[in-house]
Amino acid sequence: MVREYYIGDAVYFKLVKSAYGNLLPMLFVNVAAALGATWVLMSAGFAAAIYWFGGMIFLSLLRLAGLQRFNALLRRALITKKSDLTQWKKYYGVGLCSSGLLWVILACDVVLGVSGTASVSAKYTLIIIISSLAGGATGVTAALKREGRLYISILLLPASVALAVANSGDIVIAGLGIVFWVVMLVGHKNNHHILRQSYELQHENSNLIHSLRTLNSSLEAKVVERTVALKEIAHKDALTNLLNRRGLMEWAHQTLDENPGLRLAVLFLDLDRFKQVNDALGHDVGDHVLACVSRRIHEQLFSDSVMARWGGDEFVIAVPLKSGDTEHLQHLPSLIIEAAGMPVMLNGEEIKLGVSIGYAIYPDDDPSFTNIIQAADLAVAEVKRTERGGVLAYSETYAEVQRRRYDLSRALAKAIGTNELSLVYQPIVSAKTGRVVAQEALARWNHPLLGQISPDEFIRLAEDTDRINALGEWTLTEACRYAKSWSSDASHVKIAVNVSIKQMVRGHFDLKVVQILNATGLSPSRLQLEVTESVFDDEHMEMVLSCVKNLRDLGVDVHIDDFGTGYSSLSRLHRFQVGAVKIDRCFVNELSGKGRVVIESTVMIARQFGFEIIAEGVETVEQAKALYEIGVDEFQGYYFGRPQAEASHTAFRPVWAGGDHLETHQRHGRN
């Protein structure tokens, strides 16, 4: 077995010195973590934590004194032998492991309940702190392989065992602790290997430089070759063999310095559907596909163009533009899109990606090459937001849009659960009786500085930034609580709440609905969830089907919203146990044209499936009459009332079905 100090005294010295170099920040983090743990535990009633904290402070002071002594001896050049280093390495290991043991003692005492006072929150806070210390140790203790691995093991293994045997018997968390331990050991091993290789390379280069003074010119060539190789590694992406960020920026700096007045078209490429490939088939397959697609794209470029991997599945292409040269730039994006869309065959399976492209012109759009890349990035972000697989040139408008989206995203996170957000309610009326059968809850946002934010804007923003889960949960809870407060006269009226596909595929959405119903006391039969046609997406089909079935078994009604505007719905509708489909307002607006054909077809097919049909966007009695004659079951729209802060359940006279005319104030929902 090769031991670490056989690699040479110089490297061994650097490793030990590196370990002590990381000791001061490590001590600071350790003391800060100990202070936080002590405060949490004492707040939970664990008074003995203060004595443990005193022990940790005492040990940290001893280790700090050892660090100062080690540095003093280094400055005086009194550490010269390997045996001296080995002794100091032992001191470091003893201090490190002693610190780990103190954490373990505290963790076992708290988890196993010896104190009898610590809360569940305090226990798991302590487990999180210990896990964080173990994660950080993969880097700060990477210089010493055995000591670092022992420290990580001391931190994680006893705590995991304690969790497994505790009264709660939290086997899942304990198992995750073991998995985390294995991952941390692998990470520490890799970090140690990289650090050691780095010192070896430094040492070898130093020897080479020293040897140049005595050896012939061939050694000089070898050093040059090695330097070039190192530079190549530093500026190339290992997977695709393209330039990386650093390499691209150095190329731009050199090229623009040597060619004043040069114009460049900078294209920012973002692959579509790559994340799904990575998640579904694994990173090895993803790497293979990424390398293949990048090679195909690179083959479309002229010899003077440069392509770099910017990170992940993002690439940057810089194309020098000659005077009047626009033809190549016009055709290049389409060539790239075609190359990226070619299927990759792997193990008999066809894998297809796409690409979205944004571009900007240097120096026309900005005199800074770095800013040009950011401009192209803004353009491709707009493509991804509106229409994937397209090409878009940069405009200052996109920068303003992205800044507003960023500001609103941060503001929305703070607004959820505060009085900035509110709900309004719009009635859904029976076409036969005119009675209000449901109230749809709609979110509104009144920003203290920007005023009313359009629902179309902030709901799409919530979808794009994954804040839709928090917003959707808040909306569902508030709507159910409000519906529960209605009088007995409205006990038949349901509350309709819009649900995002992201909520349904997050996992256990049906259980979340049960929790909210239990918390608010609303009967499941009075809840009506509206989901868009995105539920028909093949990627999440089985998960959504299961969720819808569970909700229907619970008694919750599920409707398809905005029907006819998205996926090929009719071919998949038979698989979903839904109660109704809501026809989108765009078809109601076209009742005198092709919209009527779509509505009639939808009604005919929905009847075969046993679904009810709801039409939204009904604004006139003529529309209501035409829809009633077609066979629509329920109406919603401004004719029956605009969204209001207080729901009105007053029935309407069904004049569209031949009844008496409504009063004007009833027709507009101000009753």
Side-chain angles (χ1 to χ4, degrees):
M1 180 177 178
V2 178
R3 299 176 66 89
E4 63 182 17
Y5 46 77
Y6 288 161
I7 63 178
D9 293 349
V11 174
Y12 185 58
F13 174 80
K14 287 180 179 292
L15 289 172
V16 176
K17 184 179 178 182
S18 175
Y20 273 94
N22 290 327
L23 183 54
L24 185 59
M26 185 182 187
L27 288 175
F28 176 79
V29 172
N30 200 49
V31 170
L35 180 61
T38 302
W39 183 82
V40 170
L41 291 174
M42 292 190 68
S43 300
F46 187 18
I50 190 64
Y51 300 107
W52 174 88
F53 181 69
M56 182 62 74
I57 292 295
F58 178 72
L59 176 60
S60 298
L61 290 174
L62 287 179
R63 297 176 69 191
L64 181 60
L67 172 62
Q68 293 176 335
R69 177 62 177 168
F70 178 79
N71 289 334
L73 293 176
L74 279 182
R75 288 192 298 270
R76 295 159 57 187
L78 295 179
I79 299 179
T80 58
K81 297 182 295 184
K82 184 184 293 185
S83 58
D84 297 333
L85 285 172
T86 301
Q87 190 63 36
W88 279 102
K89 180 184 172 186
K90 290 179 180 178
Y91 292 156
Y92 179 92
V94 169
L96 185 67
C97 294
S98 298
S99 173
L101 287 173
L102 276 178
W103 281 107
V104 167
I105 291 170
L106 181 64
C108 291
D109 185 24
V110 171
V111 171
L112 293 175
V114 173
S115 65
T117 58
S119 66
V120 173
S121 175
K123 292 178 182 179
Y124 286 105
T125 299
L126 182 59
I127 294 301
I128 291 172
I129 291 174
I130 290 177
S131 300
S132 299
L133 290 174
T138 61
V140 294
T141 67
L144 302 182
K145 182 177 180 180
R146 289 188 295 274
E147 288 78 359
R149 291 165 68 89
L150 180 58
Y151 175 64
I152 293 171
S153 300
I154 290 174
L155 284 176
L156 293 178
L157 286 181
S160 299
V161 173
L163 280 172
V165 303
N167 293 334
S168 61
D170 202 334
I171 300 298
V172 175
I173 301 299
L176 289 175
I178 298 299
V179 173
F180 189 61
W181 168 66
V182 173
V183 173
M184 290 305 98
L185 289 185
V186 173
H188 183 273
K189 177 183 177 182
N190 292 337
N191 289 337
H192 175 77
H193 180 69
I194 292 171
L195 183 62
R196 187 175 63 182
Q197 278 194 328
S198 174
Y199 288 148
E200 288 176 353
L201 188 57
Q202 290 178 12
H203 187 57
E204 290 176 11
N205 283 341
S206 297
N207 288 339
L208 283 172
I209 294 172
H210 178 72
S211 299
L212 282 174
R213 300 172 184 174
T214 56
L215 297 179
N216 57 31
S217 59
S218 63
L219 280 179
E220 183 177 354
K222 186 175 182 180
V223 172
V224 172
E225 180 183 347
R226 184 178 290 271
T227 303
V228 171
L230 289 173
K231 184 177 180 180
E232 187 83 1
I233 293 173
H235 291 80
K236 283 289 187 73
D237 175 64
L239 176 63
T240 61
N241 202 35
L242 299 171
L243 292 177
N244 56 22
R245 288 194 186 195
R246 182 183 298 176
L248 176 64
M249 298 309 294
E250 181 168 314
W251 172 87
H253 179 75
Q254 180 178 347
T255 302
L256 295 176
D257 281 350
E258 295 175 354
N259 301 275
L262 178 65
R263 296 175 68 241
L264 292 173
V266 176
L267 289 73
F268 201 104
L269 280 55
D270 192 336
L271 297 184
D272 300 327
R273 299 184 296 278
F274 178 72
K275 184 178 185 300
Q276 290 89 325
V277 172
N278 247 356
D279 293 344
L281 303 178
H283 290 279
D284 290 341
V285 173
D287 288 348
H288 176 81
V289 173
L290 194 68
C292 183
V293 171
S294 65
R295 184 170 59 252
R296 290 174 178 174
I297 294 175
H298 189 263
E299 291 172 353
Q300 309 305 315
L301 307 180
F302 286 159
S303 58
D304 59 349
S305 301
V306 169
M307 180 174 176
R309 184 184 181 191
W310 194 248
D313 59 348
E314 298 174 337
F315 298 88
V316 173
I317 297 174
V319 183
L321 296 177
K322 300 176 183 178
S323 178
D325 181 11
T326 59
E327 183 177 354
H328 181 57
L329 183 58
Q330 291 174 352
H331 294 299
L332 181 59
S334 60
L335 294 175
I336 292 174
I337 291 174
E338 182 180 355
M342 294 175 61
V344 177
M345 299 302 300
L346 186 64
N347 299 327
E349 185 172 357
E350 185 179 274
I351 302 172
K352 291 189 68 174
L353 300 181
V355 65
S356 298
I357 304 174
Y359 70 90
I361 306 298
Y362 171 90
D364 302 20
D365 291 318
D366 198 280
S368 166
F369 185 77
T370 300
N371 291 346
I372 284 294
I373 294 177
Q374 294 175 353
D377 191 9
L378 287 174
V380 80
E382 186 68 14
V383 177
K384 301 283 278 193
R385 188 176 71 86
T386 56
E387 184 181 5
R388 292 173 180 266
V391 184
L392 198 62
Y394 167 76
S395 167
E396 181 63 28
T397 303
Y398 305 143
E400 295 173 1
V401 169
Q402 290 300 321
R403 280 194 291 268
R404 176 177 172 84
R405 284 171 56 80
Y406 176 74
D407 292 339
L408 286 182
S409 174
R410 296 179 62 188
L412 180 59
K414 299 177 182 178
I416 296 173
T418 70
N419 57 7
E420 289 185 30
L421 288 176
S422 61
L423 295 181
V424 294
Y425 303 87
Q426 187 176 28
I428 300 174
V429 177
S430 168
K432 292 182 179 179
T433 66
R435 296 182 66 189
V436 176
V437 295
Q439 295 280 356
E440 182 177 4
L442 302 167
R444 295 293 184 264
W445 183 11
N446 185 18
H447 191 279
L449 298 179
L450 302 176
Q452 291 288 342
I453 308 299
S454 164
D456 289 341
E457 182 177 15
F458 77 79
I459 290 176
R460 173 176 290 207
L461 180 64
E463 289 270 6
D464 292 343
T465 59
D466 288 333
R467 303 199 193 283
I468 192 65
N469 292 301
L471 177 61
E473 184 176 335
W474 175 84
T475 302
L476 184 58
T477 302
E478 292 301 310
C480 290
R481 182 180 291 116
Y482 181 59
K484 178 62 178 177
S485 69
W486 294 342
S487 65
S488 58
D489 293 340
S491 61
H492 66 284
V493 180
K494 295 185 177 184
I495 187 72
V497 181
N498 291 284
V499 175
S500 165
I501 181 65
K502 288 192 174 182
Q503 292 175 259
M504 301 191 76
V505 302
R506 189 180 186 185
H508 307 299
F509 174 72
D510 46 355
L511 297 181
K512 176 59 67 176
V513 173
V514 172
Q515 292 174 358
I516 292 174
L517 290 173
N518 290 338
T520 59
L522 186 71
S523 169
S525 62
R526 292 188 59 197
L527 178 60
Q528 183 173 296
L529 299 180
E530 297 187 1
V531 294
T532 63
E533 291 183 47
S534 56
V535 297
F536 298 132
D537 183 5
D538 286 328
E539 182 181 353
H540 306 295
M541 178 74 75
E542 297 305 322
M543 181 182 295
V544 173
L545 282 172
S546 175
C547 182
V548 170
K549 181 181 183 302
N550 292 339
L551 290 170
R552 293 278 291 176
D553 291 345
L554 179 67
V556 175
D557 207 1
V558 180
H559 293 179
I560 303 298
D561 196 11
D562 299 333
F563 188 79
T565 61
Y567 292 78
S568 178
S569 313
L570 298 179
S571 64
R572 311 181 190 192
L573 192 58
H574 69 282
R575 300 189 62 189
F576 283 82
Q577 300 180 28
V578 297
V581 294
K582 181 181 280 189
I583 298 172
D584 188 76
R585 67 181 67 248
C586 67
F587 301 113
V588 175
N589 292 337
E590 293 291 329
L591 260 176
S592 59
K594 295 181 179 179
R596 185 183 186 94
V597 177
V598 174
I599 296 174
E600 289 176 343
S601 301
T602 302
V603 170
M604 179 183 66
I605 296 176
R607 285 282 178 260
Q608 297 298 319
F609 290 140
F611 300 153
E612 292 190 343
I613 301 94
I614 306 169
E616 63 179 359
V618 182
E619 299 185 357
T620 66
V621 69
E622 289 78 16
Q623 288 177 331
K625 182 178 180 181
L627 291 167
Y628 177 78
E629 292 172 350
I630 292 173
V632 172
D633 299 294
E634 296 173 5
F635 302 141
Q636 183 181 18
Y638 286 174
Y639 180 81
F640 301 96
R642 293 176 179 272
Q644 301 289 337
E646 296 294 332
S648 173
H649 309 303
T650 305
F652 294 81
R653 296 191 186 95
V655 296
W656 54 86
D660 295 334
H661 288 283
L662 287 172
E663 299 290 339
T664 301
H665 71 279
Q666 287 180 310
R667 199 164 57 239
H668 292 286
R670 294 188 291 270
N671 43 18

